[in-house]
Amino acid sequence: VTGADGYQIWRHTSNELASALQIGSAVGLTYDDLTASHGQLYYYWVRATNALYAAASFSVSDSGYRGLGDQTGLTASDGTFTNKVALAWPAIEGATGYEIRRNDSNDVGSAAILVASTAATSADDVTAAVGVQYWYWVRSTNAASLSDYSTPDTGFRGIDIPGSVAATDGTHTNRIAV
């Protein structure tokens, strides 16, 4: 703004200037809000200042948010369970949920959503078929943002243990029938 020698930056989590707080000031035309929480939507107002005139009127608001951090650390079990593939991942700051995708090839673009939203940091794929290796991805979500998908991890369901094993006891002289 012509005549301005600085700017005040104000912020609130709702579009209410009356309860907004000044979070900083800038001499230039940009300001980085490093105190914003990941994925939280904020509303911002700016007003010009100079030495003669304390502060001008506020700008109209604009909203913005800091993205969620990269989702990492997904693990999928490799044959550990005969009835599921167990999945786990670390929590991401600001995430309120997680989306999990699965595919039988390493292509997240054509992967099906296995779990649309869960607040937990683990899930079980009980629909995995025996003898199929799957690729899994997870991304964090909240009301304002989505993270990128994690690096995939492969997992598969274990083969059931054979049951009802029986061996003959002395029935044959040349063999044991199993």
Side-chain angles (χ1 to χ4, degrees):
V1 173
T2 302
D5 59 13
Y7 299 91
Q8 294 176 346
I9 295 81
W10 294 65
R11 177 183 82 185
H12 197 281
T13 56
S14 62
N15 198 3
E16 298 175 14
L17 176 58
S19 53
L21 298 175
Q22 183 179 350
I23 60 166
S25 58
V27 175
L29 298 178
T30 62
Y31 177 83
D32 291 331
D33 182 359
L34 302 177
T35 64
S37 297
H38 290 279
Q40 171 65 54
L41 182 65
Y42 293 101
Y43 292 86
Y44 294 91
W45 296 264
V46 175
R47 66 180 179 175
T49 61
N50 70 23
L52 298 175
Y53 185 72
S57 296
F58 285 95
S59 68
V60 295
S61 68
D62 191 21
S63 61
Y65 58 89
R66 183 177 176 182
L68 293 169
D70 291 337
Q71 185 67 56
T72 60
L74 172 67
T75 60
S77 62
D78 294 321
T80 307
F81 306 99
T82 60
N83 62 341
K84 66 184 178 184
V85 176
L87 307 166
W89 56 91
I92 296 294
E93 179 186 348
T96 57
Y98 301 91
E99 177 188 283
I100 303 152
R101 288 189 176 250
R102 176 186 84 181
N103 204 346
D104 58 6
S105 66
N106 190 4
D107 180 16
V108 71
S110 64
I113 294 175
L114 183 65
V115 177
S117 181
T118 179
T121 56
S122 64
D124 293 333
D125 180 2
V126 296
T127 63
V130 175
V132 178
Q133 177 174 277
Y134 295 101
W135 279 259
Y136 294 92
W137 296 265
V138 64
R139 72 175 171 181
S140 51
T141 65
N142 69 21
S145 182
L146 298 169
S147 74
D148 289 334
Y149 284 104
S150 66
T151 302
D153 191 27
T154 57
F156 59 91
R157 189 173 147 183
I159 298 172
D160 285 331
I161 299 170
S164 301
V165 176
T168 58
D169 293 325
T171 307
H172 307 287
T173 57
N174 61 344
R175 64 186 156 83
I176 298 174
V178 180

